[in-house]
């Protein structure tokens, strides 16, 4: 990891540290606002801040994007903002923040599998071993240490929702690779935040699920962390760094979110940390190290090398005939 991309890994680490507080904030705010309202309000704040910053730095031209990118940004907002966050906050109504944080660790495994099929990234055998180990850890936590739960399909609805929300995040990461190379992380985050918040608002109005139960000064503080730090800083940092280190490599840092999440949940919410959570977390961390150390390649890279060789051969033939 100690190479020219080290600074991008540090940025991913920062993003994941802040995201570790998301289950904590969601767990606290669940008693203050409905999940749909939390997501809508949060990402409207994110979009407002980022669009203002872009206009200050680059003017009106800075917010212009092509139709191609706009369509992709909208799809990203559906899966990465609307579905991911709504399902997460809904799930936090039924499962502890520390438990949700650990279950979220399945995301990188799903991302690597999707990257294999859709963008041609190839992990080495140790990388796939890391995926299997981390998946085992996440499933172990969902089953509460008993695989009879898996056999009898006795999942907690909240844990299932968190699992689905992580799959949505993996789709978000993969889709982002279809964006134009010149679109900035700030623009990506601003548009996906705006579209995602609007989808949440419309859905909330239709389902009559936009409710405020209370809103104290403490709640405002948690909402600030959720919107400004976990929304603006983390999303912009993530989108910036993931484009430079690759989906499979970069997504392995999500494995660190449960570590930070458990830390926040245990120390700030006095949540209990069970033995099965510890065992599952241990498998998750071991899998993370396997994945980080794994080598990656892409079909695109192999094709480009092949094309380059053919081009060299063609030039050599042309020299011989001239």
């Amino acid at each position: 990891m100690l190479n020219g991309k080290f600074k991008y890994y540090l940025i991913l680490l920062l993003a994941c540290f802040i995201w570790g507080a998301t289950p904590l904030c969601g767990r606290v705010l669940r008693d203050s606002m409905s999940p749909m309202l939390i997501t809508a309000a949060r990402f409207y704040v994110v979009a407002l801040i980022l669009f203002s910053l872009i206009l200050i730095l680059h003017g009106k031209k800075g917010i212009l994007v092509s139709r191609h990118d706009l369509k992709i940004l909208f799809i990203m907002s559906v899966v990465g903002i609307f579905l991911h966050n709504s399902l997460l906050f809904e799930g936090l109504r039924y499962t502890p923040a520390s438990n949700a944080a650990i279950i979220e660790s399945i995301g990188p495994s799903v991302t690597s599998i999707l990257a294999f099929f859709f963008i041609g990234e190839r992990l080495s055998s140790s990388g796939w071993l890391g995926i299997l180990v981390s998946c085992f850890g996440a499933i172990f936590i969902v089953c509460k240490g008993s695989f009879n739960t898996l056999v009898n399909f006795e999942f907690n609805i909240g844990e299932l929702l968190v699992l689905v929300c992580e799959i949505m995040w993996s789709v978000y990461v993969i889709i982002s690779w279809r964006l134009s190379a010149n679109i900035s992380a700030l623009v990506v985050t601003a548009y996906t935040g705006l579209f995602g918040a609007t989808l949440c608002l419309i859905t909330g109005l239709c389902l009559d699920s936009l409710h405020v139960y209370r809103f104290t000064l403490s709640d405002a503080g948690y909402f600030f962390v959720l919107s400004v730090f976990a929304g603006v800083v983390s999303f912009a940092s993530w989108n910036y760094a993931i484009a430079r280190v690759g989906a499979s490599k970069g997504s392995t840092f999500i494995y660190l979110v449960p570590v930070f999440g458990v830390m926040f949940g245990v120390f700030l919410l006095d949540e209990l940390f069970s033995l099965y959570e510890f065992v599952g977390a241990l498998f998750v961390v071991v899998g993370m190290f396997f994945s980080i150390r794994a080598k990656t390649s892409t079909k695109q890279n192999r094709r480009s090398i092949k094309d380059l060789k053919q081009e060299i051969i063609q030039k050599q033939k042309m020299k011989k005939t001239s």
Side-chain angles (χ1 to χ4, degrees), residues 285-305:
V285 173
V286 170
M288 179 194 75
F289 283 110
F290 274 112
S291 298
I292 288 177
R293 294 176 63 85
K295 293 181 179 179
T296 59
S297 62
T298 63
K299 287 192 299 185
Q300 287 86 347
N301 285 341
R302 288 198 291 272
R303 287 173 182 170
S304 61
I305 293 172

Side-chain angles (χ1 to χ4, degrees), residues 111-124 128 174 177-178 246-248 295-303:
T111 301
S112 295
I113 293 171
L114 293 178
F116 176 85
F117 287 107
F118 293 104
I119 63 177
E121 282 194 354
R122 299 291 192 262
L123 281 173
S124 64
W128 287 112
I174 297 302
W177 278 71
R178 295 188 62 85
S248 295
K295 293 181 179 179
T296 59
S297 62
T298 63
K299 287 192 299 185
Q300 287 86 347
N301 285 341
R302 288 198 291 272
R303 287 173 182 170

Side-chain angles (χ1 to χ4, degrees), residues 29 215-225:
L29 290 172
F215 201 72
T216 64
L217 186 61
S218 175
D219 295 329
Y222 281 107
F223 182 77
F224 179 83
V225 171

